[in-house]
Amino acid sequence: MNRHAWQEIKRQLRESGAAGIVAVVLVAVASAWGGILWTVHSWVQTELLAGNRPATVVAIARGPAEAAALHDAIRANMPGVATATLAPRKVQEELASWFPELATVLLTLDERSFPPLVEVEVTAAQEETLVPWLQARPEVTLVESSRAWQSRLEHTVSRFLIAGFALALALLVGCGVVVLLVVRLLVLAHADEIAIMRLIGAHEGDIRRPYLFCGSLLGATGGVLGASILVGLEVALRGMLPTLEVSSWVLGGLPFGGALAGVAGAAFGLASLPSEP
Amino acid sequence: MLHSRFGDTGEIPNCTGARARPPQRTATDRGLALAEFVLPGMIALNGITKSYNGRPALRGISTAVDRGEFIYLTGPSGAGKSTFLRLLYRAELPDSGVIMVNGADLMMMRRREVAEFRRRLGVVFQDFKLLRRRTVGENVTFVLSLLNLPDREQQRRAYLVLKQMGLQHRMHAYPDELSGGEQQRVAIARALVLQPDLILADEPSGNLDPERSHELLELLKTINYQGTTVVVATHDRTLIEAHPARTLFLEHGRVVRDAWVTAP
Ligand SMILES: Nc1ncnc2c1ncn2[C@@H]1O[C@H](COP(=O)(O)OP(=O)(O)OP(=O)(O)O)[C@@H](O)[C@H]1O
Ligand SMILES: [Mg+2]
């Protein structure tokens, strides 16, 4: 790339004007959106859905005596795990504290309407054997595990993410199309000049390279803007979600992805260039 | 006489009338056609025809130009001078015939080779063809940048050649800010700066005053003495008579005379 090529790129960026700005903004929006999705995805994975997060298994017993027997059986079967038995009264109070707006109603009910619970804190691996074991016990009416809602959450989140990434991809293709149009306009405006450059000995590469570079610069600028938006959001949300972190891979990848979309768009835009006889 | 292939009589053997050719040339046919010409020549045309929308612009041109020759191409407007030159720098391909320039068979040339081929030519276009978005200096250095010459060398050569054209003070002007004659001189500077093997100039004095026209011809002659082949298309008879050389007369797409024109 020589001085002439750089000057040509500068001129093209200037000439791309409003259309160029639209391209940059669109790439910024698309890349910020993609970056947000990716960050949320990783955050959900590590914070909410981590496979090694301890699980809480709650077994509802038929009565206080069964609850006590169950407690002992768990102790004997899995020594060392944290087990707690909640009497009906305690369950009632606990529920009332979780739902303060229902507290008055809950606390007026007879405590016998609440079942005794046995709560077990286990690792993910222990949970897998514990749940079927509990379900097979005669003292137990119902077993609930925190891993169950985790997998339901995982399912829902993955659906949202697939839809989100599809949208990001569509936006990125849109960016490519806008760059294509920008480059096509430039090529049309420069048709005479391109013909002259050929006549005085310019290779196709000498002619096309500045356009490709211009397209990739528009894309990369959009990507850098998108990355800045992402960093801004991270800083703004730090108070609420201290563990939320944008990975440096994402920050580095956005300008690269933008540049790629730009080059692809420019390459398609150059297809309208008439060729030599 | 070195400069005239066919002598000074003005007689041209086998030049007029398109020879009927089979639609598909065979390899032997092509080889024979090429063998008609001395290989070290700069330009060799055989049976060249070219029409636009069915209207013939060139009708069977056969001629040869040696390396180091200086020739004029003259004739009335519409005779086919520019078309002839366009074929030589391969802006267009002929409908039929064989055309060799600077050792290359233009019909057989691959796209990739065209740019390299043109870098060995200096073309002064009738309509100048300057790059409007670039300054005078950039127009001249552009062709040098294609050769990957260092910046400093590009600037130096551009300055020298523009000085020769009396335009060194307009380096930073854009073509649209120049007069017709000044634009023409930039176009000439751009053609000369590469020190090409062959200069093709289409009406290079069309916009110049008589004094500058004669200076330009002197310059082209000097360059020619240094070994560069020069082809000048012009309808300015007085110019040819003042700087005599071999002259091809074109009329209605045919070479009607090929002679050394001398001052009256
Ligand atoms: N691109 C084109 N399309 C159609 N016809 C053309 C084209 N170029 C040239 N012609 C025709 O070919 C003939 C030769 O044109 P050419 O430009 O070679 O003439 P010329 O000798 O250079 O004339 P002038 O002295 O006016 O420059 C003319 O009749 C012209 O109308
Ligand atoms: Mg002409």
Side-chain angles (χ1 to χ4, degrees):
Chain A
M1 209 68 109
N2 55 41
R3 196 173 51 88
H4 278 270
W6 285 116
Q7 275 167 355
E8 176 62 21
I9 291 164
K10 264 200 283 186
R11 272 193 293 266
Q12 287 179 8
L13 285 175
R14 235 190 350 257
E15 289 169 16
S16 63
I21 292 172
V22 169
V24 169
V25 169
L26 199 64
V27 176
V29 169
S31 57
W33 171 245
I36 288 171
L37 277 183
W38 188 259
T39 307
V40 168
H41 167 77
S42 342
W43 184 75
V44 168
Q45 287 299 328
T46 54
E47 290 298 314
L48 301 183
L49 302 177
N52 56 1
R53 263 171 73 92
T56 306
V57 179
V58 175
I60 300 174
R62 291 184 193 287
E66 283 89 347
L70 191 60
H71 190 162
D72 294 341
I74 294 169
R75 274 283 168 80
N77 198 31
M78 295 182 152
V81 300
T83 313
T85 304
L86 270 67
R89 175 87 208 146
K90 189 89 176 88
V91 173
Q92 188 181 19
E93 283 166 2
E94 195 106 316
L95 279 176
S97 75
W98 287 352
F99 306 106
E101 55 279 22
L102 295 176
T104 34
V105 182
L106 285 169
L107 291 173
T108 50
L109 292 172
D110 180 4
E111 76 167 66
R112 272 169 303 174
S113 354
F114 298 93
L117 299 182
V118 178
E119 218 180 68
V120 196
E121 293 280 340
V122 285
T123 64
Q126 287 169 324
E127 189 257 10
E128 268 168 43
T129 52
L130 179 65
V131 171
W133 184 80
L134 282 174
Q135 276 163 341
R137 299 286 302 186
E139 303 95 333
V140 176
T141 57
L142 194 66
V143 181
E144 275 292 346
S145 165
S146 61
R147 303 247 314 159
W149 67 256
Q150 258 187 322
S151 78
R152 278 198 296 276
L153 179 68
E154 198 161 5
H155 188 70
T156 319
V157 165
S158 73
R159 287 208 166 170
F160 270 111
L161 283 174
I162 288 171
F165 280 120
L167 183 62
L169 200 72
L171 275 174
L172 205 67
V173 171
C175 298
V177 171
V178 173
V179 174
L180 180 158
L181 294 175
V182 171
V183 169
R184 181 165 241 167
L185 282 177
L186 287 177
V187 166
L188 280 178
H190 301 162
D192 291 348
E193 185 147 340
I194 289 171
I196 295 173
M197 286 162 77
R198 282 187 177 139
L199 286 179
I200 56 184
H203 276 302
E204 284 305 293
D206 299 319
I207 292 168
R208 284 167 197 254
R209 217 172 293 126
Y211 291 94
L212 291 173
F213 210 85
C214 176
S216 74
L217 265 183
L218 290 176
T221 310
V224 168
L225 267 180
S228 331
I229 293 174
L230 217 56
V231 171
L233 279 178
E234 187 196 7
V235 171
L237 292 179
R238 191 162 283 161
M240 261 189 284
L241 299 167
T243 51
L244 190 73
E245 194 187 348
V246 182
S247 95
S248 46
W249 282 103
V250 171
L251 289 184
L254 291 185
F256 188 74
L260 221 61
V263 167
F268 280 109
L270 283 171
S272 57
L273 243 170
S275 59
E276 287 274 347
Chain B
M1 173 72 56
L2 169 79
H3 290 287
S4 182
R5 191 173 174 74
F6 306 112
D8 297 343
T9 57
E11 293 233 343
I12 322 124
N14 193 20
C15 268
T16 50
R19 203 153 22 105
R21 293 194 149 271
Q24 199 73 50
R25 258 195 318 271
T26 63
T28 350
D29 191 8
R30 188 167 195 91
L32 286 175
L34 294 181
E36 285 178 36
F37 302 105
V38 193
L39 274 178
M42 177 54 87
I43 297 169
L45 302 171
N46 192 19
I48 292 295
T49 64
K50 176 78 188 172
S51 3
Y52 296 103
N53 312 318
R55 283 187 58 235
L58 295 179
R59 315 166 189 238
I61 301 239
S62 300
T63 191
V65 177
D66 284 334
R67 276 180 197 277
E69 248 191 292
F70 186 110
I71 80 161
Y72 289 111
L73 208 56
T74 192
S77 181
K81 304 183 291 293
S82 299
T83 307
F84 185 105
L85 290 183
R86 275 202 298 278
L87 295 179
L88 293 185
Y89 56 82
R90 204 185 177 280
E92 285 169 15
L93 290 174
D95 299 337
S96 66
V98 182
I99 179 163
M100 301 274 299
V101 176
N102 204 8
D105 182 342
L106 300 196
M107 304 284 273
M108 295 303 216
M109 190 175 270
R110 273 173 293 164
R111 285 228 180 111
R112 175 112 204 118
E113 297 163 345
V114 173
E116 298 298 334
F117 163 74
R118 287 185 182 146
R119 288 174 191 184
R120 304 299 322 134
L121 309 183
V123 184
V124 182
F125 303 92
Q126 188 165 11
D127 55 353
F128 318 145
K129 295 203 189 299
L130 297 178
L131 302 166
R132 308 237 87 82
R133 293 152 66 240
R134 293 167 206 250
T135 63
V136 166
E138 287 169 341
N139 261 278
V140 178
T141 52
F142 178 77
V143 284
L144 297 171
S145 76
L146 297 176
L147 301 182
N148 288 322
L149 287 183
D151 261 0
R152 196 171 266 278
E153 179 64 10
Q154 290 179 25
Q155 297 296 337
R156 194 184 69 83
R157 287 204 200 176
Y159 179 81
L160 286 179
V161 74
L162 282 169
K163 191 169 174 201
Q164 202 163 25
M165 290 291 129
L167 280 173
Q168 72 277 22
H169 58 290
R170 305 303 317 261
M171 291 270 282
H172 301 290
Y174 284 89
D176 290 339
E177 299 162 10
L178 303 182
S179 73
E182 287 170 328
Q183 291 188 33
Q184 186 143 40
R185 282 182 279 149
V186 177
I188 295 164
R190 184 177 67 186
L192 299 185
V193 76
L194 276 178
Q195 299 171 345
D197 299 335
L198 169 63
I199 291 174
L200 303 172
D202 198 350
E203 306 284 358
S205 59
N207 284 275
L208 304 183
D209 55 53
E211 195 185 334
R212 282 222 186 264
S213 299
H214 287 294
E215 274 174 32
L216 171 64
L217 260 294
E218 287 299 333
L219 176 64
L220 288 176
K221 284 267 175 162
T222 312
I223 292 168
N224 172 244
Y225 288 139
Q226 291 159 1
T228 307
T229 314
V230 179
V231 179
V232 178
T234 179
H235 53 239
D236 188 345
R237 182 83 197 202
T238 56
L239 209 61
I240 300 178
E241 283 166 357
H243 307 270
R246 178 184 163 196
T247 306
L248 291 183
F249 292 85
L250 252 68
E251 258 179 55
H252 304 297
R254 288 198 179 88
V255 178
V256 292
R257 203 170 152 227
D258 180 347
W260 178 271
V261 173
T262 45

